[in-house]
Amino acid sequence: VNLAVVAMFLLVFLIITEKMKKDVEVEVGKSLKTVLLTTQQALSSWRGNILSTTPFWADSKIIGKSTEILLKKKNLKLHQTQLRESLSTILKTHDYRGYFIVGKNGRNLASSRDGNLNVTNLLYSDQGFFRKIWSGESVLSRPIKSDDVLTGGTQVSMFSGSPIHNSSGEII
């Protein structure tokens, strides 16, 4: 009789434990789905914000005029300084680490750092990124490893790009 009571107690214990385990799994699953949906919504909102802001900056007069001058290779140092001063507030406000203006040959015409000037842009190997920009689209890159001068190491970065137009409205 005692063995039967112990066996019955063990069986009830195992059934209750299994049900509790399944209930916890269901609740964790619901929580993870909520986190996933919230994250997807936040990323979608962030992406939309980036893709609506980037063309606004690219279409600014200072960017267009400076790019035309940089393409003509005139007063390079002066225009680098002016661009950096003009964009510093935007960069700080949005917590961005820097900027590039890239020529159609893939070389950096302007950058927030001197070490990046007149070298091939690290995104140039992703021809789809620049092809879309040269065709008039604003785009967001995939996450890529990039140098981080602030930490002295590498980090994963994403870049947004938008075409810059000259005074005639052509993409330059």
Side-chain angles (χ1 to χ4, degrees):
V1 175
N2 287 341
L3 188 59
V5 171
V6 171
M8 182 61 94
F9 178 73
L10 253 151
L11 181 63
V12 169
F13 177 76
L14 289 174
I15 290 171
I16 291 172
T17 304
E18 189 61 29
K19 173 146 179 36
M20 289 173 60
K21 178 183 168 193
K22 286 184 180 184
D23 289 348
V24 167
E25 287 174 352
V26 167
E27 288 304 312
V28 168
K30 286 179 184 177
S31 294
L32 288 174
K33 283 182 183 178
T34 301
V35 169
L36 177 62
L37 288 173
T38 303
T39 302
Q40 287 173 332
Q41 289 171 346
L43 282 172
S44 178
S45 176
W46 173 80
R47 183 180 186 277
N49 184 42
I50 295 294
L51 291 178
S52 65
T53 304
T54 304
F56 177 76
W57 300 336
D59 286 338
S60 71
K61 289 185 184 205
I62 185 137
I63 297 292
K65 285 183 180 184
S66 292
T67 302
E68 286 185 275
I69 290 167
L70 290 167
L71 285 167
K72 293 175 185 174
K73 307 224 186 296
K74 294 182 180 177
N75 300 318
L76 296 179
K77 189 155 183 87
L78 171 67
H79 288 286
Q80 293 292 343
T81 302
Q82 287 177 344
L83 276 170
R84 288 174 183 167
E85 287 173 3
S86 297
L87 295 174
S88 67
T89 302
I90 293 169
L91 295 173
K92 287 177 187 171
T93 301
H94 295 281
D95 197 28
Y96 296 143
R97 295 200 178 257
Y99 68 90
F100 294 103
I101 296 177
V102 182
K104 289 191 177 182
N105 63 358
R107 299 193 65 82
N108 296 325
L109 299 171
S111 172
S112 50
R113 297 188 300 245
D114 286 339
N116 291 328
L117 295 174
N118 201 30
V119 298
T120 300
N121 187 276
L122 68 126
L123 288 170
Y124 197 65
S125 61
D126 181 358
Q127 286 296 303
F129 181 81
F130 282 102
R131 190 176 325 110
K132 289 177 182 177
I133 293 171
W134 304 140
S135 69
E137 290 182 55
S138 293
V139 293
L140 191 62
S141 76
R142 290 176 282 188
I144 61 169
K145 286 186 179 180
S146 65
D147 67 323
D148 185 357
V149 173
L150 298 177
T151 64
T154 59
Q155 71 172 22
V156 176
S157 301
M158 292 179 74
F159 298 85
S160 60
S162 194
I164 298 172
H165 297 87
N166 63 15
S167 56
S168 303
E170 301 167 316
I171 296 173
I172 53 176

